[in-house]
């Protein structure tokens, strides 16, 4: 059974720091991996989607990498800002692309201090 | 753009009562999903649909029923609510599976007393 783990559970950094959030998964047979952002009391917003054939995706100050063989993904946030404070979740879709088995990690709660 | 809209946003029920959560999307997406989010448990899939008229069970389907009579709507029903169903419920949709990106609603907070 696929399990997705995110470490650390919480992270506090001063504004301006570059930071890395980690996501690991136990079954490397995935279709894709997504990173989401969730603000308190809100739904999830998709940040980056990496297909299994890709190694990384970039959007603005965000860069996500994928290493299927080691079962790891990282989300790199450059020059962090207080507005980046949120919970970040990763999720994997199992091989075969069945949209019924998207498995989420429990998230990393990020706090960026001014 | 409305995207994915959930109603109601908040609801309090007594044990044994029934209710329906409505999810509506205006993006013409084929796939729709219902998740629940609980502290320490993360997001878990309840039911999903791969197209109008179809539904399938997810990880935690017991105590819930769903219907997808129209492509744009996905309903989640609780026939006899239990305190264990106190949670925040999220609906999501996605286009054909080769993109995989999910679009979420803002959530419906349900409390069962």
């Amino acid at each position: 059974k696929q399990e997705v783990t995110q470490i650390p559970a919480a992270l506090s950094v001063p504004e301006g720091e570059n930071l890395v959030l980690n996501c690991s998964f136990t079954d490397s047979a995935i279709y894709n991996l997504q990173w989401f952002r969730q603000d308190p009391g809100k739904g999830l917003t998709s940040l980056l989607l990496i297909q299994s054939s890709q190694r990384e995706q970039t959007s603005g100050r965000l860069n996500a990498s994928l290493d299927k063989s080691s079962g790891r993904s990282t989300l790199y946030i450059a020059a962090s800002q207080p507005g980046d404070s949120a919970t970040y979740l990763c999720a994997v879709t199992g091989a075969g692309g069945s949209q019924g088995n998207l498995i989420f990690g429990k998230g990393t709660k990020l706090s960026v201090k001014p | 753009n409305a995207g994915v809209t959930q109603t109601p946003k908040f609801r309090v029920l007594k044990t044994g009562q029934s209710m329906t959560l409505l999810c509506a999307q205006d993006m013409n997406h084929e796939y729709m999903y219902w998740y629940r989010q609980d502290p320490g448990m993360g997001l878990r899939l309840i039911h999903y649909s791969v197209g109008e008229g179809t539904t399938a069970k997810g990880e935690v389907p017991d105590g819930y029923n769903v219907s997808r009579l129209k492509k744009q709507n996905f309903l989640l029903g609780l026939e006899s609510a239990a305190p264990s169903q106190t949670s925040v419920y999220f609906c999501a949709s996605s286009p054909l599976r080769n993109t995989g990106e999910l679009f979420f609603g803002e959530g419906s907070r349900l409390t069962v007393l």
Side-chain angles (χ1 to χ4, degrees), chain A:
Chain A
K1 179 184 175 184
Q2 178 74 273
E3 293 184 1
V4 179
T5 303
Q6 292 186 246
I7 295 173
L11 181 64
S12 181
V13 300
E15 182 177 4
E17 271 202 7
N18 302 324
L19 58 100
V20 174
L21 306 180
N22 297 294
C23 173
S24 62
F25 45 96
T26 54
D27 186 348
S28 61
I30 64 170
Y31 187 73
N32 61 39
L33 182 144
Q34 299 184 60
W35 282 94
F36 295 88
R37 168 186 174 137
Q38 185 176 26
D39 293 291
K42 299 291 187 181
L44 281 70
T45 301
S46 181
L47 297 173
L48 291 164
L49 169 67
I50 311 176
Q51 301 293 349
S52 62
S53 59
Q54 298 174 318
R55 292 298 298 253
E56 65 177 347
Q57 284 283 343
T58 298
S59 176
R61 293 182 295 108
L62 305 180
N63 176 276
S65 67
L66 174 64
D67 184 343
K68 271 181 54 178
S69 60
S70 66
R72 296 176 187 272
S73 175
T74 61
L75 178 66
Y76 175 82
I77 303 177
S80 58
Q81 303 170 357
D84 295 329
S85 298
T87 297
Y88 292 81
L89 298 98
C90 71
V92 299
T93 301
S98 169
Q99 291 287 359
N101 61 342
L102 189 70
I103 306 297
F104 283 84
K106 294 179 181 178
T108 294
K109 186 175 182 180
L110 174 65
S111 176
V112 181
K113 306 291 187 186

Side-chain angles (χ1 to χ4, degrees), chain B residues 12-86:
Chain B
V12 178
L13 289 177
K14 294 181 179 179
T15 297
Q17 287 185 319
S18 64
M19 73 158 295
T20 300
L21 297 176
L22 169 64
C23 177
Q25 51 96 3
D26 61 1
M27 297 172 283
N28 201 35
H29 285 171
E30 292 292 334
Y31 292 77
M32 296 187 75
Y33 316 81
W34 277 107
Y35 290 90
R36 59 178 289 173
Q37 187 175 37
D38 303 288
M41 299 294 293
L43 274 150
R44 293 179 293 170
L45 182 65
I46 305 170
H47 286 280
Y48 65 102
S49 168
V50 301
E52 180 179 317
T54 73
T55 63
K57 294 180 180 180
E59 181 184 357
V60 288
D62 294 342
Y64 305 94
N65 56 76
V66 288
S67 64
R68 183 104 180 263
L69 298 180
K70 294 183 179 180
K71 185 177 182 179
Q72 64 268 35
N73 295 336
F74 195 29
L75 279 65
L76 177 72
L78 286 70
E79 291 185 347
S80 180
S84 62
Q85 295 177 304
T86 294

